[in-house]
Structure formats: C-alpha cells, structure tokens
Amino acid sequence: MSPLSIFIIAQNEADRIGRTIEAARLLSDDIVVVDSGSSDGTQTVAESLGARVVFNPWPGYGQQKRFAEEQCRHDWLLNLDADEVVPPDLAAEITALFASGAPPADAYKIRIAEIFPGEKAPHRFAYALAPVRLYRRSRGRYSPSPVHDRVDLAPGARVGRLKGTIHHFSVRSLGEQMEKLNAYSDAQADDLDARGATVSVFRLVAEFPANFIKAYIGRRHALRGIYGFMTAMNFAFYRYLRVAKHWERRLQRRAGVRPPTASAKRESSGG
C-alpha cells in the first residue's frame, strides 16, 4: 500500500459510498469517512468495508474537509466525495507514482468527469474539472471556506497533473440534484453576506440565461441528450437562485426582518 490516506465526507450516502470505498481500498490502508449524521446506515456500510468512521456535525464544506484531513494518518492525502470512484487505470497511475518513494510534486490535479444516470463511464464530451485532490498535508490544506471547495497550497508548492479521471456519479435524480443545489445556494448566499458582497440587479436578470448557455453550450451538455438539457436547466436555476436569495435577504433587512441562514435552516430540518 502507498503511504497515502483517503478521506471522504458523507451524509446519507449508503447507496453509493460502498462503490467508492471498494475502489479506494486498492490504494490505501487508511480510509477515513467523516459523517455528519447519516440516518440511512452510511456508517455501517463504510465500517463493513474497513473505513474508519468519525462523526463531526456539519460546519460547512471547507471546515469539514479540514477536520477530515486531521483524522488521517499519512502526510499524503487523496480526497474523494462519496459519489466518486477511482477507476482501475487511475488507481494504477497513483500506485506507480509512489512506487519509487515520494512523488516529485507536492500536489496533483485530477480530472473529475460527471457521469449521468444510464452512463457507465464518462461521456466522450463530458465536461470535467481538474482540481487538486492528491496532495501532501504538510504543503497544502483545504480552504476553511464553507462553500469554496479547494486546496490552498503553500507558496512554492510544486503541482503536477495525473492522466486518469475520477468518475463522478453525482445525480441520483433531477429532484435530488435540485434539493442539493437549493441547499448549496443557501450556503452561497451566507458566504456573500459574510464577505459583504453586493450583486447587481443586472446579475439577477442575466444569471439564468447566461448560466444555461454556459452549461448547455460551454460545458457541452448539448451533446448528451435530454438529460444534458435538463441538467443544464437545473444548473442555471441554481446559479440564479443564489443571486435571488442574496437580493431577498437585502430586501428583508431593509424591512427589518432577520434573514435565516443556511445553518439555521439545516438545524430546523434536523440535518
């Protein structure tokens, strides 16, 4: 096994975290799942596959990943979401990276491609991000931001890029996707408030059509059939919703009403 820890943050992922851990076991003897209060048996599934499960109440994306980093035994870390799978070719590439000792770079970007329902592998034209996911904890840590999911690297850190692709099975259904995006738009509205940002009325009007074009054309969802169209619509509405909620809060404050935060909504719903 490589001197590598793998960490996953999760809540109610029993139906798909098993596939993630099964693939990850080829790479590490230290798999950590930080659970924020699952009620569907996620913890049992993870433990049955050899993962260490640690509970931590949800503090936000960046804070939860920083907490997860601190639970890991090794300096080298690989972060996966509970709906992401490392395919065999990427696992072999990561194994080879450690075969002769410590990798030459301090961090590595890995391509992450979304797989829509009905697809078994990334579409030929699937849009993909390539964030840093494999890195030395001594040279980088996740940002503490509640919404910005990124690794902040130390000055001068050397960054490489792997050839393989993480498979991202992000969509259970369009309805479930919209629920997640709605919650995420609450957190982004909180973040705008915390930073004292002001979004123009023009953004409120232009956000939906601009982001539909971004997803449908720029991210090539147009090449992925009707599911691509529906996903682009969800993405555009989510981007509009975060700006609309920002404006709603401004109007509420002007009327002397205290807007609810994302954390308050989560507590009231029992999350």
Side-chain angles (χ1 to χ4, degrees):
M1 289 290 177
S2 304
L4 171 69
S5 292
I6 297 173
F7 68 91
I8 305 163
I9 64 171
Q11 183 180 33
N12 292 331
E13 299 283 359
D15 60 324
R16 51 191 185 179
I17 198 171
R19 177 170 52 183
T20 301
I21 296 173
E22 287 275 13
R25 289 198 302 182
L26 298 173
L27 291 169
S28 175
D29 61 356
D30 185 38
I31 299 175
V32 179
V33 174
V34 175
D35 187 87
S36 54
S38 294
S39 57
D40 67 345
T42 295
Q43 306 94 323
T44 302
V45 173
E47 288 175 342
S48 71
L49 293 171
R52 286 190 292 122
V53 178
V54 181
F55 171 73
N56 194 53
W58 181 253
Y61 287 93
Q63 297 100 318
Q64 191 75 326
K65 290 195 174 185
R66 286 181 73 90
F67 176 85
E69 289 172 333
E70 293 163 1
Q71 313 311 308
C72 295
R73 295 173 183 155
H74 301 299
D75 187 37
W76 274 97
L77 307 179
L78 173 64
N79 172 229
L80 296 171
D81 287 343
D83 55 3
E84 295 175 345
V85 175
V86 175
D89 63 323
L90 178 57
E93 186 179 7
I94 293 173
T95 300
L97 194 64
F98 288 89
S100 300
D106 299 305
Y108 290 86
K109 294 181 178 181
I110 306 177
R111 189 172 181 267
I112 304 173
E114 186 173 49
I115 298 177
F116 288 163
E119 297 176 344
K120 294 182 179 180
H123 189 276
R124 178 182 175 188
F125 299 109
Y127 173 76
L129 298 170
V132 168
R133 282 297 192 87
L134 177 64
Y135 59 101
R136 288 172 55 196
R137 178 171 45 186
S138 56
R139 298 291 286 161
R141 297 289 303 274
Y142 262 91
S143 164
S145 167
V147 295
H148 298 298
D149 188 0
R150 67 173 184 269
V151 176
D152 290 337
L153 296 171
R158 297 161 297 174
V159 181
R161 183 165 181 152
L162 300 185
K163 296 178 181 178
T165 299
I166 292 173
H167 293 186
H168 187 197
F169 298 88
S170 66
V171 182
R172 288 187 178 104
S173 68
L174 291 171
E176 191 260 353
Q177 181 188 53
M178 200 65 247
E179 287 178 10
K180 287 173 62 177
L181 293 176
N182 181 43
Y184 194 49
S185 69
D186 283 335
Q188 289 206 328
D190 286 351
D191 184 60
L192 289 171
D193 284 351
R195 293 188 288 112
T198 301
V199 178
S200 69
V201 175
F202 173 77
R203 286 279 300 278
L204 185 65
V205 175
E207 201 75 6
F208 184 93
N211 280 284
F212 176 78
I213 293 171
K214 177 181 179 179
Y216 197 60
I217 305 300
R219 295 189 172 184
R220 302 182 293 276
H221 286 358
L223 301 176
R224 302 180 68 184
I226 189 63
Y227 221 103
F229 172 80
M230 294 188 294
T231 300
M233 289 288 286
N234 266 10
F235 175 78
F237 185 67
Y238 144 69
R239 298 288 288 185
Y240 155 77
L241 197 58
R242 69 194 181 108
V243 177
K245 288 178 178 179
H246 169 73
W247 266 93
E248 180 183 48
R249 292 178 180 198
R250 290 176 64 180
L251 295 174
Q252 288 173 330
R253 281 191 287 268
R254 289 175 186 173
V257 177
R258 183 179 179 181
T261 63
S263 58
K265 290 182 179 180
R266 190 179 180 90
E267 290 171 5
S268 67
S269 64

